[in-house]
Amino acid sequence: MAQTPIIQGHRGCRGLYPENSLPAFQHALEMGVTVLEMDVCLSKDGQVYVSHEPYMNPLYASFSDGRPVSDASINLYQKTYAEIKSFDVGSRGNKLFPEQAHVATYKPLLSEVLALGEAYARKTGRRIEYNIEIKSEPAEYGISQPATVKEFADKVWTVISASISPSALILQSFDFAVLQYWKTAIHQGRISALVEKETPEQMLADLGFVPEIFSSSHKYLTKEQIDFCHSKGMQVIPWTINTTAEMQQFSDWKVDGIITDYPNRAPQFLKH
């Protein structure tokens, strides 16, 4: 188990650049991040693109003519990827992240993000890994995502397997049906069980197997839970820790990784 937690750039580095965008992933890599965390959804024409939700977010999205998106009703599973790419998701910034740069950008394909990371790895000789979340909710089956987790997971795996080594993959989801399918049918990479408040014991009971990683909200994670996970052979990677003091606390508690919007605030990066 890692002594210094590995820093994962949440949606690239959401605190500093537009989330889940190529500029955010590039900036995270240049800061020294070696694990890029991201979310994936599917377009109408079956393209796997990087986005936290399968709807346009009115917090920061704009139409191609510059008009702000006013609500979250634009279902991207009903749009082709070309239509999705026409939206600007960076120029307005994000009021929740006042340090975030305002740059025109779009929701990229997963293949583009993986190509960016692999090119950086070749250039620098650094090993880059990818924590990819399949954004799946049972209430959205057949609405903003495929009707089956098999179709969704298979399409994601097709892109991943063509782009990177499975050893560089962490596959995460809050939808345990996705993780169960991945474990039995695809069985590649490390599986990370995402939860908010659930204890590791609850997660194990619900999931039905021991994943490589337990990833809970840091707000509900205790040192006892971290120790329990380690006793079961699981790593612990909490989300989303955005202050240096909290990162240091969880480092002292021996978490294996930290997901953060602000990699620049990580104790090991402050000297840069």
Side-chain angles (χ1 to χ4, degrees), residues 217-228:
S217 168
H218 77 281
K219 295 175 185 174
Y220 306 102
L221 184 64
T222 65
K223 184 178 187 307
E224 290 70 30
Q225 290 177 347
I226 295 165
D227 293 342
F228 171 84

Side-chain angles (χ1 to χ4, degrees), residues 4-25:
T4 301
I6 294 170
I7 299 299
Q8 298 195 9
H10 186 235
R11 308 186 202 176
C13 53
R14 178 172 58 160
L16 306 171
Y17 275 82
E19 66 176 65
N20 280 319
S21 70
L22 294 177
F25 294 117

Side-chain angles (χ1 to χ4, degrees), residues 254-269:
K254 301 291 191 283
V255 295
D256 302 278
I258 286 171
I259 298 171
T260 179
D261 293 316
Y262 297 94
N264 56 314
R265 299 179 184 175
Q268 59 264 52
F269 290 169

Side-chain angles (χ1 to χ4, degrees), residues 21-96:
S21 70
L22 294 177
F25 294 117
Q26 181 68 38
H27 189 71
L29 291 168
E30 289 170 357
M31 277 193 290
V33 168
T34 56
V35 184
L36 300 178
E37 192 273 351
M38 69 200 75
D39 315 271
V40 293
C41 301
L42 274 191
S43 65
K44 181 179 181 179
D45 51 346
Q47 299 294 303
V48 182
Y49 66 95
V50 179
S51 175
H52 182 256
E53 56 274 309
Y55 295 87
M56 272 300 166
N57 192 325
L59 262 178
Y60 53 79
S62 305
F63 292 96
S64 55
D65 62 6
R67 285 179 301 122
V69 169
S70 60
D71 60 50
S73 64
I74 302 173
N75 182 349
L76 302 183
Y77 188 52
Q78 305 302 328
K79 301 266 185 201
T80 65
Y81 177 67
E83 292 173 307
I84 293 168
K85 189 176 179 179
S86 74
F87 286 81
D88 179 342
V89 293
S91 291
R92 288 167 53 202
N94 183 332
K95 66 184 180 184
L96 301 181

Side-chain angles (χ1 to χ4, degrees), residues 183 191 203-204 207-213 229 232-234:
K183 172 78 171 174
I191 289 176
M203 177 276 293
L204 290 171
L207 187 59
F209 65 90
V210 180
E212 283 82 4
I213 299 163
C229 288
K232 297 290 185 185
M234 288 183 285

